[in-house]
Amino acid sequence: MTRAYDAIAIGASLATLDGDGGYGAIEDGALGWRDGLLAYVGARTGLRGDPATLAGEVVALDGGWITPGLVDCHTHAVFAGDRAGEFELRLQGASYEEVARAGGGILSTVRAVRAASEDELLAQSLPRARALLRDGATTLEIKSGYGLDLRNERKMLRVARRIGDELGITVRTTYLGAHALPPEYTGSGQAGSEQAGDANGYIAAAVEWLVALQAEGLVDAVDAFCEGIGFTPAQTRRMFEAASALKLPVKLHADQLSDLGGAGLVAEYRGLSADHIEHASEAGVRAMAAAGTVAVLLPGAFHVLRETRLPPLESLRAHGVPMAVATDCNPGTSPLLSLRQAMQLACTHFRLTPAEALRGATVHGARALGLADRGMLRVGMRADFVHWRVRQPAELCYWLGGDLATAVFAGGQRIA
């Protein structure tokens, strides 16, 4: 007998997020899937027959809510070591420059990544990805950018691919060679308040590495850090031109600390996303809206750095720019291991509604990665979903921490 579904989940309500706003709630819902894709999304009473005869397996749930699997569209989760000492120095009033002189900053993580073997880097990074998964993330973006030479950028991207294979989740890799100048291009092991040394020479080398890494199938997108302490718009443009020649989509660490026109620059290339954007201008927001570029809000970094300049939220809403929410999981400025906690911080600091935050970590997070097959519960989408021990979806942003996810499915397979 051929069954209609491989499995059906019943006994919970659904937050489908299908539609233009709100949760897309279905009380006492049912979810059926076949061959890793959703084949039924609706009320339990709409099933044409007994679930036990319709499906090979019935997942009986005792209340709660099902949402799409969360999509963490901006992480630096592959790294070695930590920067807890740097965190302590900042709390004591140290500036960025003082932290760098004390051996902190991006280059301290570069040293740790370069010293680690690929297996050691995987062993350190895998628990972070597993923590994100346990709290509902079924899709992760992971950036390079702590290797800053061909061998170590390759190592980071290979580890990111291995994490996806190990955990059974989707990992999208982003090449962030234009993250900082390595010591061999600065003549120093330290980073200052401004990029120094041969930045143009470094970008030329980083472009060559991109070509090689793309040929090896390790790159899904290209990012850069366009900032006074990063790379100039002209240098960023060189990286984006190289990405475009390889038909790779781009995204950008844009306008986090100052307005260098990063939002407008990435929109010019019809980029997937502009991330951070606390200092983005009205013109930049309009350009994003016209290009379909997603705004990725990163409240973890805002929180840890105790920033006060908010992203242009009302302008983003007014121009209809989708707002994604991500962890920015990284060792220096956002050591955050829960996308749900990022949603809570987005509500607290940025005044997003719980529905906006949940959409930001699902529908819009998927869009920020160029993925049209996930982010909502709709027939034909991937069967990526999470069952939560909550009475209403707003609780996902209400609780500070806690163990709310009871089951996580990716492609119809239970993975947590």
Side-chain angles (χ1 to χ4, degrees), residues 125-346:
S125 303
L126 194 59
R128 291 188 284 271
R130 187 172 282 119
L132 293 167
L133 163 61
R134 281 199 302 264
D135 211 25
T138 56
T139 300
L140 300 181
E141 185 257 17
I142 299 179
K143 303 178 191 295
S144 66
Y146 293 128
L148 305 186
D149 62 23
L150 177 57
R151 184 174 70 87
N152 288 290
E153 289 291 293
R154 176 188 286 121
K155 180 172 67 180
M156 291 188 68
L157 294 167
R158 283 176 51 85
V159 167
R161 289 278 195 243
R162 290 175 66 183
I163 285 172
D165 293 341
E166 179 81 16
L167 298 183
I169 61 175
T170 299
V171 170
R172 301 292 285 180
T173 56
T174 298
Y175 175 66
L176 183 56
H179 195 194
L181 277 185
E184 52 268 30
Y185 281 84
T186 63
S188 165
Q190 306 297 334
S193 60
E194 300 286 339
Q195 288 283 49
D198 187 12
N200 288 328
Y202 175 72
I203 288 294
V207 165
E208 292 181 5
W209 306 337
L210 170 61
V211 174
L213 295 169
Q214 191 270 347
E216 296 172 23
L218 291 174
V219 180
D220 297 320
V222 174
D223 194 355
F225 183 35
C226 183
E227 193 57 73
I229 60 172
F231 293 92
T232 67
Q235 291 159 351
T236 299
R237 189 179 295 277
R238 289 177 62 189
M239 186 61 70
F240 281 4
E241 289 292 337
S244 297
L246 296 170
K247 297 185 174 7
L248 289 169
V250 298
K251 49 181 51 204
L252 188 63
H253 284 66
D255 305 332
Q256 179 186 9
L257 306 175
S258 61
D259 182 12
L260 293 185
L265 173 58
V266 71
E268 180 183 334
Y269 287 84
R270 304 195 72 80
L272 292 174
S273 67
D275 302 29
H276 287 291
I277 65 167
E278 281 88 338
H279 290 261
S281 66
E282 178 75 10
V285 172
R286 288 198 302 269
M288 291 171 64
T293 298
V294 176
V296 177
L297 307 180
L298 302 172
F302 183 93
H303 177 79
V304 170
L305 293 175
R306 295 182 291 176
E307 295 286 355
T308 57
R309 173 73 173 253
L310 294 171
L313 300 163
E314 291 312 311
S315 181
L316 294 170
R317 290 189 178 103
H319 291 286
V321 177
M323 293 184 289
V325 175
T327 62
D328 192 17
C329 172
N330 77 73
T333 60
S334 188
L336 180 55
L337 297 177
S338 165
L339 182 49
R340 192 173 58 78
Q341 183 67 65
M343 292 159 52
Q344 202 285 333
L345 291 173

Side-chain angles (χ1 to χ4, degrees), residues 359-371:
R359 284 180 169 273
T362 52
V363 180
H364 301 320
R367 183 171 173 179
L369 295 180
L371 298 174

Side-chain angles (χ1 to χ4, degrees), residues 18-88:
D18 199 355
D20 294 332
Y23 295 113
I26 299 176
E27 303 283 346
D28 190 18
L31 211 60
W33 59 96
R34 183 173 55 243
D35 298 328
L37 302 178
L38 295 174
Y40 179 84
V41 179
R44 182 174 178 175
T45 55
L47 289 170
R48 297 184 177 180
D50 183 349
T53 63
L54 291 172
E57 178 187 3
V58 176
V59 180
L61 302 168
D62 184 18
W65 283 76
I66 292 174
T67 72
L70 304 185
V71 179
D72 197 346
C73 64
H74 182 130
T75 88
H76 304 254
V78 170
F79 60 86
D82 65 65
R83 280 149 64 183
E86 177 180 323
F87 172 70
E88 193 168 18

